[in-house]
Amino acid sequence: MRVIKLTEETKRGLMQDLLKRNPGNYGAYEGIVSDIINKVRTEGDKALFALTKEFDHCDIDASNIRVTEAETERAYDLLDPALVEVMKKASVNIRTYHEKQLRNSWIDIQKDGCILGQKITAVERAGVYVPGGKAAYPSSVLMNVIPAKTAGVGEIIMTTPPGADGTVNPGTLVAAHIAGVDRIYKVGGAQAIAAMAFGTESIPKADKITGPGNIFVALAKKAVYGHVSIDSIAGPSEILILADETANPRYVAADLLSQAEHDELASAILITTSEKLAEQVQKEVEGFLQELERTEIIQKSLENYGYILLADTMEDGIGAANEIASEHLEILTADPFEVMTKIRNAGAIFLGEHSCEPLGDYFAGPNHILPTNGTARFFSPLGVDDFIKKSSIISYGREALATVHKEIELFAGSEGLTAHANSIKVRFEK
């Protein structure tokens, strides 16, 4: 990992470096994704089956595209029962946390009889995309589906790529069953996103699509946005650790590597006021690289986007953390809660040396689907709000409207919208 002094110049260079990982920069693939979406939109199932054969080498048709109850039952048999129990415990934590996010509709009746309010309604159908093969993450199934269920979504469908033998990752199926997915379809990639966005003979159209995926999935979600709602265009994973001289260097190194192992574009950054800690973390990283399995990926990640930034003061470090707006932010200082009050931009904040990032990934309850690439400045973690919509309620009586009608007519007239003004005016004609 590079150890550099934190200055305005180095911070600018770092920000430019990190932005290179934005999925929006992969324009070379947009034409391929657009062709796939258009095929599915115009040809429906025919295109789905052909593309699944081409990309996943699997023969899928209308008779076997949907996962059966028997397949889910077999998945339970293939999974370690202890892992199933962990998933169930995690699902309880996730559900309990997200239930606290629920909102209520409200009505406000004013003295003049006017009624104003807001009606909360869950979307009718949500579509969840789940990667397959080696990139299958049952934890993400729980994190996508449980908030939707908690919000009251009427139906949840899921798409995931099958193996060449037509099977689906058993962990994915068990997690989907625990979380409450209604229908699962064996289709992946951009074609799965297109199917959920526009509907085919086998797969119904969704109102909202969530879930992680490769660059083709990310670009497909970007392309269909507007036809349906999406959660976000997720970029590579990232962690930023704010630490002072009290931090345990072994913990810091382990936590940095927990994100670097995701892929070669993952970012792992330590900002510290302690030069001694920086040196110790470097040594611990080198030691861990001799023990861990995904060392090639980790090394590439650290070479490309691994940094140790030495800050003159913790205030400087906090300022840099707010500008970077990391997906995951760990605060390992003498008083992490005091530092946390100064953080404005972060996807998830982990306080103290035993609140490591994987705790949030798997078990604690808050969602691990988080804003990346600096979008924590204006985006939030996936939650119940992502699966609801709000309708305004307005009810005026004649007397209440009479007191304001001339003002509304004036306002509409100032914008040149005489039909708007007339809609009010006709109600007070003699």
Side-chain angles (χ1 to χ4, degrees):
M1 296 179 73
R2 286 157 286 184
V3 180
I4 57 177
K5 181 78 173 173
L6 177 61
T7 65
E8 285 301 316
E9 184 179 353
T10 58
K11 187 165 59 179
R12 278 195 302 272
L14 169 62
M15 298 296 287
Q16 290 172 358
D17 212 19
L18 294 178
L19 286 173
K20 292 175 185 176
R21 309 174 314 134
N22 192 315
N25 293 330
Y26 293 89
Y29 301 104
E30 287 181 346
I32 299 170
V33 169
S34 180
D35 288 343
I36 291 172
I37 291 172
N38 288 332
K39 278 184 181 178
V40 174
R41 189 174 186 179
T42 56
E43 300 176 19
D45 275 358
K46 179 184 175 183
L48 273 189
F49 303 152
L51 291 165
T52 302
K53 178 70 173 176
E54 179 181 351
F55 295 124
D56 297 310
H57 314 293
C58 178
D59 290 311
I60 291 294
D61 56 35
S63 69
N64 64 359
I65 190 172
R66 185 173 170 184
V67 171
T68 64
E69 288 184 16
E71 288 176 287
T72 299
E73 290 170 5
R74 281 198 297 274
Y76 273 93
D77 294 335
L78 293 170
L79 225 54
D80 181 351
L83 177 57
V84 175
E85 286 307 306
V86 172
M87 286 188 190
K88 288 179 178 178
K89 288 180 179 179
S91 72
V92 171
N93 293 343
I94 297 164
R95 186 171 293 107
T96 300
Y97 180 87
H98 287 85
E99 281 173 350
K100 298 182 188 301
Q101 298 178 343
L102 284 167
R103 300 192 187 200
N104 295 316
S105 300
W106 55 269
I107 290 286
D108 180 27
I109 303 175
Q110 301 177 12
K111 291 181 180 179
D112 59 4
C114 297
I115 297 173
L116 300 175
Q118 182 172 272
K119 185 176 185 293
I120 303 290
T121 311
V123 301
E124 291 183 30
R125 182 182 292 121
V128 175
Y129 183 84
V130 179
K134 294 180 180 178
Y137 299 114
S139 59
S140 287
V141 177
L142 302 179
M143 293 292 183
N144 275 279
V145 177
I146 292 175
K149 276 287 181 183
T150 303
V153 173
E155 182 183 32
I156 300 173
I157 63 173
M158 191 175 93
T159 59
T160 187
D165 60 356
T167 62
V168 173
N169 181 282
T172 296
L173 292 185
V174 170
H177 184 260
I178 291 170
V181 174
D182 296 292
R183 291 190 259 176
I184 305 172
Y185 297 96
K186 301 175 185 178
V187 59
Q191 58 270 27
I193 301 300
M196 291 190 286
F198 300 108
T200 72
E201 296 90 334
S202 295
I203 300 178
K205 172 180 165 52
D207 302 304
K208 176 109 184 187
I209 298 175
T210 68
N214 62 19
I215 187 61
F216 296 99
V217 170
L219 290 175
K221 287 169 69 177
K222 180 181 176 184
V224 301
Y225 177 64
H227 297 283
V228 292
S229 178
I230 63 170
D231 49 354
S232 63
I233 309 296
S237 190
E238 52 200 36
I239 187 170
L240 189 153
I241 299 177
L242 267 176
D244 61 17
E245 69 283 353
T246 67
N248 183 317
R250 188 165 177 82
Y251 294 172
V252 173
D255 293 356
L256 289 169
L257 300 186
S258 74
Q259 293 309 290
E261 77 168 342
H262 270 294
D263 64 61
E264 295 171 2
L265 294 175
S267 166
I269 299 171
L270 166 64
I271 300 178
T272 183
T273 51
S274 169
E275 191 169 342
K276 181 180 178 182
L277 178 72
E279 293 171 358
Q280 291 173 324
V281 168
Q282 281 275 55
K283 290 180 182 177
E284 292 289 350
V285 166
E286 291 168 8
F288 279 129
L289 286 174
Q290 306 305 312
E291 305 170 11
L292 298 172
E293 293 181 4
R294 296 165 66 90
T295 53
E296 189 174 340
I297 292 173
I298 293 172
Q299 285 175 325
K300 286 282 180 63
S301 169
L302 296 182
E303 287 170 12
N304 294 328
Y305 304 106
Y307 294 89
I308 297 177
L309 303 177
L310 290 173
D312 288 331
T313 67
M314 185 52 64
E315 292 300 319
D316 290 341
I318 292 168
N322 279 324
E323 287 194 50
I324 293 169
S326 185
E327 177 187 18
H328 306 99
L329 171 64
E330 289 188 11
I331 302 177
L332 304 178
T333 61
D335 189 352
F337 284 88
E338 192 273 334
V339 173
M340 183 266 292
T341 64
K342 300 174 184 177
I343 296 297
R344 298 188 308 276
N345 305 321
I349 303 172
F350 301 79
L351 303 173
E353 65 178 13
H354 297 298
S355 303
C356 51
E357 189 278 337
L359 175 65
D361 268 356
Y362 294 106
F363 200 77
N367 212 291
H368 78 200
I369 299 168
L370 303 165
T372 56
N373 285 314
T375 60
R377 294 186 191 89
F378 45 83
F379 280 146
S380 306
L382 188 74
V384 167
D385 280 355
D386 288 282
F387 299 97
I388 64 169
K389 49 199 174 65
K390 292 163 272 191
S391 302
S392 303
I393 298 171
I394 302 169
S395 176
Y396 268 52
R398 180 177 175 79
E399 288 185 12
L401 186 59
T403 62
V404 297
H405 80 92
K406 290 189 181 297
E407 291 155 295
I408 300 170
E409 291 168 30
L410 175 63
F411 210 155
S414 74
E415 295 185 348
L417 299 175
T418 55
H420 278 65
N422 187 60
S423 174
I424 300 284
K425 185 178 179 181
V426 295
R427 285 164 167 77
F428 297 95
E429 291 174 338
K430 293 184 180 178

